[in-house]
Each structure stands twice: as C-alpha cells, then as structure tokens.
Amino acid sequence: MKKKPLLSFWQLWNMSFGYIGIQFGFALQNSNLSRIFETLGAKQDAIPGLWIAAPLSGLIIQPIIGYMSDRTWNRLGRRKPYFLVGAILASLALLILPNSPALWVAAGMLWMLDASINITMEPMRAFVGDMLPDEQRTKGFAMQTFFIGAASIVGSLLPWLITKALGVSNTAPEGIIPPSVKFAFYTGGIIYICAVLWTIFTTKEYSPEEQAAFEGNEINDAAKEGDELVLNTKKYFTSGSIYLIAGLITTFIIYQFGWDKEIYILSLAIAAYGILQLITAQLYNAGQRAGLVEIIYDMNNMPVAMKQLAVVTIFTWFALFAMWIYSTNAITSTKYNMKVGKEVVLAMQKDIDAVLKQPSIDEKTKHQFEALQADINDINKYRPNDNPVNVSVNLANHYADSANTIFSAADKVELKRVGKEYNDGADWVGVLNSVYNGVAALVAFLLPLIARRFTRVKTHFLCLLAGGLGLISMYFFNSPNLLILSEIGIGIGWAGLLIFPYAILSSTVPQKKMGVYMGMFNYFVVIPQILAAALLGLLVKTVLNGNAIYAIVLGGIAMIIAGVLMLFVKDPKDRHSL
C-alpha cells in the first residue's frame, strides 16, 4: 500500500482556502439572523423555531452529498463539483436574504443559505481525509480552523466596519433591515464564490486509481458495500417498528399537552427514522444494495470512536446553538440600557388596545399590532413591577416613528435611544463573535503541538472546559467590554471543536467512505441544534422566566459535560496527534 505524500504549508493553505467563503456565510448568518428576524417582527421565543431551518437542511443534505461525492469523478474532480455548486447557491442566498420583505421569506432564504453551505462544507471536510496522510490530518483541520477563525473575524465585524468606516447607517425604520447589514451580506456573497474558486483552481485531487493505491484493503464492517453487505432484516423490521411507534406516540403526547410546535420535529424525526429502517429492510430483500440501504447500514456500523465522539458533539453543539440563538437578546437586554418609564409602556398598551378593537382593521395592521401586543404581554408576564422597564426593539422602533402622535418629541427621543442601544448591542455581538473566532485562529496551530504532548483527547477536554467557563462567565460580567474575556474561553473551545473531533474521525473511518461518514457525523451536530431550537424557547418562556442570558449559562454547563465525556473517547491513533 502506497503512503500519501506529505503536503507543504502552501498546499495545505490552498486546499483549505475555500473555508474563508464558507465561514463568511456562517459568520454573517450567526451574527445577524436573530437581528433580522427580530427586525421583521419575530418574537423571542419564536426565533429558535426560525433557526431550525439551518440544522434541518444539514441533517438531510450532508449525508447525501457525502455519499454522492464518495462515488463522483469527473473533469472537475471528486469533491470539487460540490464545492462549486454550493458556492454559487450560497452566494445567491447571501445577496437575496437581507432584502427579505417578510419574516417567512427570510426563513426560506436561511434554509437555502444553510443548505448551500452544507453542499460546500461536507465535501471540504472529507477533502482533508482524501488529500492528507493520517499524521497530517490534525494539521489539515487546524488550517481549516485558522481560516474559519480569520474569516469569522471579518465576517462578524462587517456590519460594524461598514458603519464605522463608510458611515453607512446601522438603523432603519420599523420592519426594514439596516443598510449596513445589507451591504455586509452583499460583500459576503462575493467573497464566498471567490474563495471557493481559489481552492478549485489551485488544488489537484487524487484520481480514483491513486486513492485505491493509498487505501489498501479495508475489511472492517464500516467499509463493506455492495454484495459484501449483510443485513439482518428481521432486526431492521423490529427496530423500525419500535422507532415508528415511539415517534407517533410522542407526537400524540406533544399534541395533547399543547407543547411548542418545534418539538414535533423531534418526534417526527424518530418516526421517520423508523420508516427508513423498514424501507431499508424491504429494499434489501428486493436485492437493493446501494443508496439508502448502504447509508442506513453505515449508520448502524459506525466505528466505536465515532459513537463516543457523537455524544460529546451533541452536548457541545447544544451549547453553541444556545449562544448563537440568544446572544443578541441576552446581551442587549442585560448589558445595554433598553429601559423606558412604565408610563410609556402603559401608553403603548392603551394605543394597541384601541387599534385592535377597531372593527375595520386590515390584516396587515392587525398582524403588526398583534406582534406589538405580544411584546407587551411579555412585559406584563416577566417584568410587571419594573419601572423603568426593558422594552423590545420592535416597540421602540414603532413608537419612535414620526407618524405616531401619541408620544411627545421628548418621549420619541427616548424611544430612538432604545432602538440605538439595541443596534449598538447587536453590532457588539458581531464584534464579540469576531473575538472568539480570532482566538480560534490564533490557537489553531498551537493545539496540534499540545496534542502531540498530551494526546488529542486530553487537549480537547481542556478546550471544552475553557469554552464552557467562557459561556457561563457571560452572566457575571455587567460591562459589554468585559465579555471579551468570555469570548477568549469560547474561542479556545471553538478551535478544539473544529480540529479534534474531525481529526480523530478521519483516522477512524474507512477512506472510501470518508464523505458519507463525515456527512453522517453532521447528525450529531444537527440533533442538538434541533433540541436547542425545540426546547430552549420553551425553557426561556417558562422555567427561565424570559431571561435569555440563562440559556447561555445552560449552554456553558452542557459544554463542560461534553468535556468530561471527551475523556472517555478512545482515539485509535493518538500516536499520530501531530
């Protein structure tokens, strides 16, 4: 069996350069989507449900793209055709999304954006396993992490930079996306396609014949395909029936208790997996050995280390998704002054009641004022005795508008101040995101050196511990500037997450199934995101008394648990942690 040659620093640079584009897309999405949703009228507890489009697209697309790219070879290559298609679609989504005229359009564009990013990203992770020998893979993922961190610094800062450097406004009338956010998304779309094209034109993939020479004979269960597959169809029929029944019963319970509709995604996913097990058994009995049969077989025969990493990853990504969903709301509501006198809120309530009681109210106005009423309801439920009291940016923007006549000029100045505080805080969230990504970029090349001394498993444990403590500390720092200290810990955790699970995974799974297993590993990134989207809104609304900052603390606890679980992962090739 031939050994893959070691690649130079600049070869590693070129093959990972496309991640600049991918991460520009993610940075703009993570830093601005909650802001866009809130601007278009979304309620705080509805935002997790809107974000659910992103992980769902990855759940469906990544394993399929991985399976297809494992079997692709054309003039462009094996993985590169998917880089290109994903980049074109993602760039278009970045251009369209900030011009969304309504909330449902923005949610749809988020789905398109995240699906397109997944089409690019999954093959690019498998690309490291394709192109590098085992002893260089940690460095390969470290290079990707460097680009992720560096691109995220600029991507997260873009709206703020455009406002500060070019004087483009970061505020807009009610229901309108600020110009600085629009121009940031336009810039990101251009950078995305250019960065991916750089990787496509500067990196030559190994041919199928070369890969076969490198792979040798892979005889473990996870490597089997075609006629080698042997399925116990009775087991598949039994487990499929159990999953289907369990999913349907759970769905009925959710309906009976009137729980949040996002939780249906979990119950229906369980039922859907049961159906896939049943279909797989039926197809196998009919002589089918490829496609769905092989994907489900591979899922049921994951290597042990992959299963262990899956549990760690579920807790880690739950923590990150909590931060991405709630950081804007948590920081603006606790670190910035968005308070007005209670008499102002009472005047708003009186006006809203009067408008909604009008018999001739049109649907657009009714929908608008029902959203404002929901914000008032939150105040009455969670902050009934506060004076002054926190108000939402939607209330502030609506009643600061010059067309409203119920408030004096002085009151409108105060409401405009609240709107500015929110947008300043939202911009600072972008700065904070750039800090943790900058830290990740800086430590990316240091972590492989530490892992060589302490093993990949122990190094990732320390990274997750730092990340968890960083998230929890956000509760205790009152000054927005001090949150930079929190972001340092989060950045270390983020760097470890982007390097070690994928390095260990690429050392564990069969080379010829690198794509499908990298895509399948995304299940354990997506499942906690669905859990977060389904449960965090309910928790914030009930147990956490409307305080979004507690969701971030909960995320920190989850990341520390992930670190402890990491210590139980068996890395089969720790001696190669270079």
Side-chain angles (χ1 to χ4, degrees):
M1 180 176 70
K2 292 175 61 179
K3 184 176 176 61
K4 290 178 183 174
L6 296 173
L7 299 189
S8 69
F9 174 86
W10 291 112
Q11 287 174 309
L12 292 173
W13 176 282
N14 288 336
M15 66 178 284
S16 298
F17 194 81
Y19 249 98
I20 288 180
I22 292 173
Q23 202 55 35
F24 256 90
F26 270 132
L28 288 167
Q29 171 183 305
N30 292 338
S31 297
N32 296 283
L33 255 295
S34 289
R35 178 183 189 175
I36 289 173
F37 288 152
E38 287 188 27
T39 300
L40 294 174
K43 292 293 299 128
Q44 174 184 294
D45 55 8
I47 289 176
L50 294 168
W51 272 80
I52 203 98
L56 275 179
S57 64
L59 182 68
I60 298 167
I61 289 172
Q62 282 211 26
I64 295 173
I65 294 298
Y67 180 84
M68 291 170 61
S69 67
D70 282 341
R71 289 154 178 76
T72 295
W73 184 260
N74 58 33
R75 290 173 57 189
L76 202 56
R78 185 186 192 188
R79 313 291 183 188
K80 291 193 288 185
Y82 301 92
F83 298 172
L84 181 60
V85 172
I88 292 171
L89 294 175
S91 297
L92 289 173
L94 286 167
L95 296 176
I96 296 170
L97 197 152
N99 294 295
S100 300
L103 187 58
W104 69 269
V105 177
M109 283 297 101
L110 171 60
W111 192 297
M112 176 178 170
L113 174 61
D114 207 81
S116 304
I117 291 175
N118 278 300
I119 292 172
T120 310
M121 183 177 64
E122 191 286 325
M124 198 159 281
R125 284 193 178 133
F127 204 39
V128 172
D130 289 348
M131 300 298 297
L132 299 180
D134 187 75
E135 62 266 31
Q136 261 197 320
R137 287 177 183 169
T138 304
K139 288 182 179 178
F141 287 109
M143 181 67 80
Q144 286 189 354
T145 301
F146 169 76
F147 281 125
I148 289 170
S152 294
I153 294 172
V154 183
S156 298
L157 280 172
L158 262 183
W160 182 84
L161 288 172
I162 289 171
T163 296
K164 297 298 182 184
L166 302 179
V168 178
S169 177
N170 71 341
T171 61
E174 180 189 5
I176 303 297
I177 309 302
S180 61
V181 175
K182 289 186 177 183
F183 282 107
F185 273 71
Y186 301 157
T187 304
I190 295 170
I191 291 172
Y192 195 118
I193 188 68
C194 291
V196 171
L197 287 173
W198 179 277
T199 289
I200 289 173
F201 288 119
T202 60
T203 305
K204 179 183 180 297
E205 292 190 75
Y206 293 123
S207 69
E209 293 75 21
E210 289 172 315
Q211 285 287 5
F214 293 140
E215 292 163 20
N217 296 316
E218 295 175 323
I219 58 175
N220 57 67
D221 287 342
K224 292 178 180 178
E225 57 186 7
D227 291 337
E228 297 175 336
L229 295 183
V230 178
L231 267 64
N232 183 341
T233 54
K234 182 179 179 181
K235 180 179 178 181
Y236 275 67
F237 278 123
T238 301
S239 62
S241 299
I242 292 171
Y243 279 116
L244 176 58
I245 293 169
L248 293 176
I249 291 174
T250 306
T251 301
F252 178 75
I253 293 172
I254 295 169
Y255 173 78
Q256 284 294 107
F257 284 93
W259 292 341
D260 283 12
K261 58 183 178 298
E262 289 86 3
I263 307 179
Y264 281 118
I265 296 172
L266 294 173
S267 62
L268 293 176
I270 294 170
Y273 183 64
I275 293 171
L276 289 176
Q277 294 272 347
L278 297 173
I279 293 173
T280 296
Q282 189 64 39
L283 290 174
Y284 182 83
N285 285 339
Q288 181 71 36
R289 298 292 184 271
L292 179 64
V293 173
E294 192 172 351
I295 291 174
I296 298 298
Y297 173 86
D298 290 338
M299 189 185 307
N300 290 331
N301 288 278
M302 289 187 296
V304 173
M306 183 175 175
K307 295 177 182 177
Q308 294 170 327
L309 285 169
V311 181
V312 174
T313 303
I314 285 171
F315 278 94
T316 308
W317 280 91
F318 181 90
L320 288 170
F321 208 57
M323 179 185 72
W324 289 333
I325 291 173
Y326 285 109
S327 57
T328 298
N329 184 279
I331 290 170
T332 56
S333 64
T334 61
K335 319 302 178 185
Y336 287 80
N337 182 13
M338 295 185 64
K339 295 180 182 293
V340 296
K342 188 63 175 286
E343 68 279 1
V344 174
V345 176
L346 293 174
M348 291 176 177
Q349 175 71 81
K350 184 177 179 180
D351 178 64
I352 292 168
D353 287 342
V355 172
L356 290 176
K357 288 178 180 177
Q358 293 176 3
S360 59
I361 185 172
D362 62 84
E363 282 300 315
K364 181 178 179 181
T365 303
K366 182 181 179 183
H367 178 76
Q368 177 188 27
F369 275 80
E370 283 176 342
L372 296 173
Q373 179 65 67
D375 287 343
I376 295 290
N377 291 342
D378 282 350
I379 292 173
N380 293 335
K381 180 177 181 180
Y382 300 123
R383 302 178 291 279
N385 300 316
D386 288 1
N387 189 16
V389 58
N390 266 334
V391 296
S392 70
V393 67
N394 290 328
L395 283 169
N397 285 343
H398 178 81
Y399 285 103
D401 192 282
S402 58
N404 278 293
T405 59
I406 69 165
F407 287 118
S408 67
D411 286 333
K412 288 184 178 182
V413 168
E414 187 68 2
L415 289 167
K416 287 180 180 178
R417 176 196 61 77
V418 171
K420 186 176 187 305
E421 287 277 315
Y422 174 84
N423 283 292
D424 287 346
D427 283 348
W428 187 243
V429 170
V431 175
L432 294 174
N433 285 344
S434 74
V435 171
Y436 84 74
N437 280 292
V439 170
L442 290 173
V443 304
F445 296 116
L446 178 62
L447 291 179
L449 299 177
I450 297 174
R452 183 168 61 183
R453 180 176 178 84
F454 294 104
T455 76
R456 297 189 284 202
V457 167
K458 292 178 182 177
T459 305
H460 192 35
F461 159 73
L462 295 174
C463 290
L464 293 174
L465 181 63
L469 293 175
L471 287 169
I472 293 171
S473 70
M474 294 177 73
Y475 173 81
F476 296 98
F477 292 134
N478 293 321
S479 168
N481 292 332
L482 289 177
L483 293 176
I484 290 174
L485 299 176
S486 302
E487 300 299 325
I488 292 173
I490 295 169
I492 294 170
W494 179 235
L497 173 66
L498 295 173
I499 296 172
F500 295 114
Y502 296 102
I504 295 171
L505 182 64
S506 67
S507 300
T508 303
V509 302
Q511 172 62 49
K512 65 183 178 182
K513 293 193 174 184
M514 188 70 67
V516 72
Y517 272 118
M518 284 290 180
M520 203 172 289
F521 192 67
N522 190 56
Y523 290 155
F524 312 113
V525 174
V526 170
I527 289 171
Q529 294 183 50
I530 295 174
L531 282 169
L535 299 179
L536 281 175
L538 181 63
L539 287 173
V540 169
K541 189 167 60 176
T542 54
V543 179
L544 304 181
N545 203 33
N547 294 308
I549 190 69
Y550 292 138
I552 294 180
V553 173
L554 184 63
I557 295 170
M559 190 171 284
I560 291 174
I561 293 172
V564 174
L565 292 172
M566 186 67 200
L567 294 174
F568 295 91
V569 173
K570 303 298 182 184
D571 182 355
K573 298 182 180 179
D574 258 327
R575 66 184 183 277
H576 292 315
S577 298
L578 301 177

